[in-house]
């Protein structure tokens, strides 16, 4: 690349408040031409320069004029009298495509006589016959010099900014590197985030005023961004094919069209905003009509009409067709377009309700659907009921959702009703449903498999139930983006997978659902939250937090909110983050109140029961847990759904120091152990855990139980069981073996992704045996910490330990320093977190009383 030629203004930062004078930034062929003229100004120069408007032809001729005049070589142009010259002279002919035939023949005669040097600049269109003859004559001295648009680097050089900067990228993207357009955007170089100011677009008015009506119509059609085949343009402009070719050539010659035939972005904006409104509306409406008649895509055209504020009854069918095109990828836009079509009289309320719900706007979807259901005689009442049923399922109202689906009566709706009735414990009503005959679509097939899989999960094989739901998920993937679902087959498959310990299968089916965008925005958060849940139970808290963040922090529907807050609580509990657990619990209380208990919400209820026990808030969960057990009773206590809740209730009882309650849940797990591998694993782990708490540590049994939990996907629980047994055994050899097991199982969790926090399941255990002494609280400091947590004052602590209050204060200050706590509140939170699993405290705790049967 060459620098700006001598005599051009020097480079440097441009003043954004002024419009700089155009200057040459040369590519190699143009620089070579100027260098040749500079070195040998008296040598004959015969060259044609071709480029569309705005590429710098006039600037090049101006620079050549300066070079020749400085060398005292006469310079003439075709607009003045060409009197005979005694010596050599150079003839400059700019805009040769506009010069009349007679003048072009005069220039040709001079060239044939080899009198002058000549530099002729022209656009590629139009090409009068006399100009073609002159160019053919000049070609004997070499091919024409064809000017090109700036590259990204040359654009930055022309602007006086560094290549690769945001300003350079913005201007290049908007202008395509056309020099004249780069100059027009130069004043905005320091305001790339502010959009294109009106004064920039106004400068295009003169370009457009020079165009005839047909060429402006062509540019208006191009401004829609739609691919325009020649036959469509011919029909639009009422032109024969050869006339369309001429118009395309004329459009390229304006310099507003990039080499690929598309309007450069800034020109597109200018053409759309500056063209007369009547012509713009007429062209776009006619183009949309032609596209609709051809069966082509109309969404890009309707976008242009919508952005320009163009509507009306005559366009209603086009807006409706565009909405159908947008439904899969942009349901929110589809809802807007359906609304526009409806305002012009099109019956689009059902499709608009569907689009609104798919986009996540359940309020609008429910309003529209409810009107449809209430409208007697409406052919869309069944659709309205299905939309309402889906929306209410996401809002946690599964029973009401099932009623609406049953009333809707379509084949898929009956299957969804069965899933809802089962989920609310109404098994008889689910069994009474008989799906009507209907077309065997992907949706009806997937819905039937979903209902069958859920029924199988109640009394049949967990493997068969999971397989059926995975098949349903695969069946729905091709059509799932535009299907409104109360729950996705992938989500139900994931729930069954978690309940039976098949986390790899559950994760795989969710990954496929996320990739296929099944259920659009309405299901996206649920899939992400369930992926996070699987990472959480494995102990991969950082990965779980990433999925939780991907689900969003904005307003969540009640079902998603319940899972999100339970996930937050589960992550905080596994990281021993007491402050985070308190924050999550504050939100979870509201989430639990807003969401009635159903079969598909047992996972978060169980996790929150453990969190409530950890915080001493068991009473707040008692009513909801009682309803959960009643629901399971109505369903016959299905082992697959019951075992995980017993497992959580067991841990809540352990934390709350309720041995009798813990024994009851352990016995329930043992009673269901024969129904599935997962049930057998958690039953064995429950017995081993309670024996450990009673001081009877069997290392081989504990290790087998811990490895069983790991195999069932409960990696964090497995590591924790081994760690808890290690700190409760007095056998040094057994302790070492159990710690090695705990480290191994914890390492599996860490291998799944980098963790941002320690893994408390075993870190606090191994710290007692491997950390240097100076990194732990001293025995005296631990005693002080326990009494601080009991709420004693410094004076009371001193009286208890026979030390002064000042010494107690000194110990507290040292603890704050060692633990990195900024204030007393931070210290208390940290001490509470450490107290829950602190090895010293656990080893000093008295074993649980033995059961009467022991």
């Amino acid at each position: 690349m060459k620098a700006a030629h001598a005599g051009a203004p020097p480079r440097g930062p441009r003043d954004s408040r002024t419009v700089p004078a155009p200057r040459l930034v040369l590519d190699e062929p143009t620089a070579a031409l100027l260098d040749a003229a500079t070195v040998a100004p008296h040598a004959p120069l015969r060259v044609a320069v071709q480029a569309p408007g705005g590429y710098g032809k006039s600037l090049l001729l101006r620079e050549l004029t300066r070079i020749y005049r400085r060398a005292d070589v006469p310079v003439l142009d075709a607009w003045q009298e060409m009197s005979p010259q005694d010596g050599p002279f150079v003839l400059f002919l700019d805009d040769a495509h506009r010069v009349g035939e007679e003048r072009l023949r005069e220039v040709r005669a001079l060239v044939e006589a080899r009198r002058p040097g000549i530099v002729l600049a022209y656009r590629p269109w139009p090409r009068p016959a006399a100009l073609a003859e002159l160019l053919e004559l000049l070609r004997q001295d070499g091919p024409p010099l064809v000017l090109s648009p700036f590259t990204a680097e040359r654009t930055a050089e022309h602007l006086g900014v560094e290549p690769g900067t945001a300003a350079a990228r913005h201007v290049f993207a908007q202008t395509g590197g056309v020099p004249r357009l780069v100059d027009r955007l130069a004043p905005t170089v320091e305001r790339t985030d502010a959009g294109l100011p009106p004064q920039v677009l106004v400068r295009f008015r003169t370009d457009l005023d020079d165009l005839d009506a047909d060429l402006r119509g062509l540019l208006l059609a191009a401004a829609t961004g739609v691919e325009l085949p020649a036959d469509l343009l011919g029909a639009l402009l009422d032109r024969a094919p050869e006339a369309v070719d001429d118009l395309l050539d004329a459009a390229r010659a304006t310099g507003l069209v990039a080499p690929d035939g598309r309007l450069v972005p800034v020109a597109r904006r200018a053409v759309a905003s500056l063209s007369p409104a009547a012509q713009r509306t007429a062209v776009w409406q006619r183009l949309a009509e032609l596209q609709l008649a051809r069966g082509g895509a109309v969404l890009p055209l309707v976008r242009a009409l919508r952005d320009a504020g163009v509507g009306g009854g005559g366009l209603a069918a086009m807006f409706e067709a565009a909405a159908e095109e947008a439904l899969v990828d942009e349901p929110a836009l589809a809802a807007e377009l359906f609304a526009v079509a409806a305002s012009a009289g099109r019956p689009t309320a059902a499709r608009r309700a569907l689009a609104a719900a798919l986009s996540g706007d359940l309020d609008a979807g429910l309003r529209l659907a409810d009107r449809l259901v209430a409208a007697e005689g409406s052919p869309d009442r069944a659709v309205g009921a299905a939309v309402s049923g889906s929306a209410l399922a996401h809002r946690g109202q599964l029973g009401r959702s099932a009623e609406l689906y049953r009333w809707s009566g379509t084949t898929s709706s009956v299957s969804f009703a069965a899933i809802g009735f089962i989920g609310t414990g109404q098994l008889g009503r689910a069994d009474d449903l008989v799906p009507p005959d209907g077309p065997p679509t992907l949706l009806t097939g997937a819905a039937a498999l979903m209902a069958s899989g859920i029924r199988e999960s109640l009394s049949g094989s967990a493997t068969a139930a999971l397989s059926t739901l995975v098949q349903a998920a695969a069946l729905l993937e091709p059509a799932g983006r535009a299907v409104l679902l109360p729950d996705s087959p992938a989500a139900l498959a994931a729930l069954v997978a978690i309940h039976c310990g098949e986390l790899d299968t559950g994760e795989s089916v969710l990954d496929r659902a996320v990739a296929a965008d099944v259920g659009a925005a309405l299901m996206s958060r649920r899939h992400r939250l369930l992926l996070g849940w699987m990472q959480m139970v494995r102990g991969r808290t950082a990965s779980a937090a990433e999925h939780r963040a991907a689900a969003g922090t904005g307003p969540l529907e009640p079902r998603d909110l319940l899972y999100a807050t339970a996930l937050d609580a589960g992550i905080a509990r596994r990281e021993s983050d007491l402050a985070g657990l308190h924050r999550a619990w504050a939100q979870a209380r509201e989430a639990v109140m807003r969401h009635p208990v159903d079969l598909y919400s047992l996972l978060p209820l169980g996790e929150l029961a453990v969190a409530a026990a950890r915080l001493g808030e068991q009473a707040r969960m008692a009513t909801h847990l009682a309803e959960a057990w009643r629901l399971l009773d109505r369903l016959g206590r299905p082992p697959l759904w019951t075992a995980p809740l017993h497992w959580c209730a067991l841990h809540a009882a352990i934390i709350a120091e309720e041995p009798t309650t813990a024994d009851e849940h352990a016995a329930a797990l043992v009673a269901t152990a024969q129904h599935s591998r997962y049930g057998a694993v958690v039953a064995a782990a429950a017995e081993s855990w309670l024996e450990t708490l009673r001081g009877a540590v069997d290392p081989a049994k504990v290790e087998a139980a811990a490895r069983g939990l790991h195999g069932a996907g409960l990696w964090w629980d497995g590591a924790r069981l081994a760690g808890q047994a290690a700190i409760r055994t007095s056998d040094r050899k057994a302790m070492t073996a159990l710690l090695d097991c705990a480290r191994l199982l914890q390492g599996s969790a860490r291998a799944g992704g980098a963790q941002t926090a320690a893994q408390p399941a075993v870190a606090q255990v191994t710290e007692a045996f491997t950390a240097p002494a100076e990194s732990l609280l001293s025995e005296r400091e631990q005693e002080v910490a326990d009494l601080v947590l009991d709420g004693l004052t410094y004076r009371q602590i001193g009286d208890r330990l026979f030390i002064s209050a000042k010494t107690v204060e000194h110990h507290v200050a040292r603890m704050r320093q060692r633990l990195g706590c900024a204030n007393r509140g931070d210290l208390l939170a940290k001490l509470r977190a450490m107290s829950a699993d602190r090895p010293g405290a656990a080893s000093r705790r008295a074993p649980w009383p033995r059961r009467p049967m022991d």
Side-chain angles (χ1 to χ4, degrees), residues 784 787-788 792-802 808:
V784 171
L787 296 174
V788 168
L792 274 65
T793 66
Y794 289 172
R795 181 178 296 278
Q796 291 170 330
I797 294 171
D799 292 342
R800 182 80 62 90
L801 299 178
F802 303 100
V808 175

Side-chain angles (χ1 to χ4, degrees), residues 161-361:
V161 300
E162 290 297 321
T165 60
R169 293 195 304 271
H170 168 74
V171 172
F172 182 72
Q174 288 291 320
T175 64
V178 177
R180 178 172 61 194
L181 305 187
V182 171
D183 278 323
R184 288 181 181 176
L185 262 67
T188 71
V189 73
E190 296 177 4
R191 294 177 286 124
T192 57
D193 295 335
L196 295 175
Q199 58 267 30
V200 172
L201 296 179
V202 166
R203 299 185 66 194
F204 285 82
R205 186 172 297 280
T206 55
D207 299 321
L208 301 180
D209 288 344
D210 292 339
L211 305 178
D212 61 36
D214 283 346
L215 184 51
R216 190 195 295 271
L218 175 64
L219 294 181
L220 273 169
T224 63
V226 179
E227 185 176 351
L228 301 170
D231 59 333
L232 179 62
L233 282 175
L236 174 68
L237 302 172
D238 195 22
R239 291 281 193 113
E242 58 274 11
V244 171
D245 289 340
D246 285 344
L247 276 177
L248 291 172
D249 289 338
R252 295 187 185 97
T254 63
L256 303 176
V257 176
D260 63 0
R262 297 179 180 273
L263 277 171
V264 297
V266 65
R268 180 179 174 184
R269 289 276 305 277
V271 169
S273 61
L274 298 179
S275 295
Q279 184 185 18
R280 179 183 61 204
T281 301
V283 169
W284 286 352
Q285 182 169 343
R286 175 61 177 156
L287 187 56
E289 292 169 350
L290 290 171
Q291 277 287 82
L292 194 61
R294 292 159 54 97
V298 297
L299 181 57
L301 296 170
V302 170
R303 282 186 198 274
L305 291 167
R306 173 173 164 269
D307 292 344
V310 177
L315 297 174
M318 279 162 270
F319 274 85
E320 183 177 3
E324 294 290 350
E325 292 176 29
L327 188 61
V328 172
D329 296 318
E330 301 177 82
L333 173 62
E336 292 181 24
L337 297 179
F338 278 130
V340 173
S343 67
R346 300 291 294 183
T348 63
R351 301 298 284 169
R352 183 184 172 192
L354 171 65
L358 278 174
S359 71
D361 187 358

Side-chain angles (χ1 to χ4, degrees), residues 612-776:
R614 180 74 174 80
L615 299 173
E617 297 269 9
Q618 300 97 310
R620 290 185 178 273
M621 292 296 298
T623 300
H624 305 285
L625 288 172
E627 176 57 32
W629 295 121
R630 287 194 292 271
L631 169 66
L632 290 169
D633 286 337
R634 293 196 297 272
L635 293 173
R637 289 282 176 132
L640 182 142
W641 297 96
T642 305
L645 189 58
H646 277 302
W647 178 250
C648 289
L650 169 73
H651 285 283
I654 290 172
I655 292 172
E657 296 283 342
E658 298 174 350
T660 302
T661 304
D663 289 338
E664 291 173 357
H665 289 295
L669 288 171
V670 171
T672 61
Q674 72 274 17
H675 291 282
S676 68
R677 180 180 68 87
Y678 179 88
V681 164
V682 293
E687 288 196 309
S688 184
W689 211 306
L690 294 184
E691 289 173 1
T692 296
L693 291 173
R694 289 186 165 96
V697 178
D698 182 337
K701 187 175 180 179
V702 169
E703 183 170 346
R707 291 184 181 277
L709 289 173
H710 184 274
L714 301 174
W715 299 356
W716 185 83
D717 289 325
R720 183 174 173 80
L721 172 58
Q724 291 291 311
I727 64 174
R728 285 173 168 80
T729 181
S730 57
D731 185 333
R732 183 78 182 183
K733 183 178 179 180
M735 177 200 73
T736 302
L738 288 169
L739 280 175
D740 287 341
C741 176
R743 291 190 189 99
L744 177 64
L745 299 184
Q746 177 179 289
S748 299
R750 285 178 173 171
Q755 298 293 298
T756 59
Q759 299 289 334
V762 74
Q764 294 170 356
V765 176
T766 57
E767 182 183 57
F769 301 98
T770 61
E774 61 271 15
S775 68
L776 302 173

Side-chain angles (χ1 to χ4, degrees), residues 54-107:
Y55 277 54
K57 299 184 299 297
S58 298
L59 286 176
L60 176 59
L61 266 59
R62 197 176 305 157
E63 181 65 12
L64 283 169
T65 299
R66 188 189 62 79
I67 291 172
Y68 279 107
R69 285 179 174 164
R70 190 170 58 184
D72 294 328
V73 175
V75 175
L76 303 178
D77 63 50
W79 307 111
Q80 59 188 178
E81 285 295 330
M82 292 181 293
S83 58
Q85 302 290 318
D86 294 333
F89 67 98
V90 180
L91 175 63
F92 288 95
L93 187 60
D94 199 2
D95 287 333
H97 56 283
R98 294 183 176 179
V99 176
E101 295 273 344
E102 182 178 350
R103 182 57 59 87
L104 287 173
R105 291 191 181 92
E106 293 175 5
V107 174

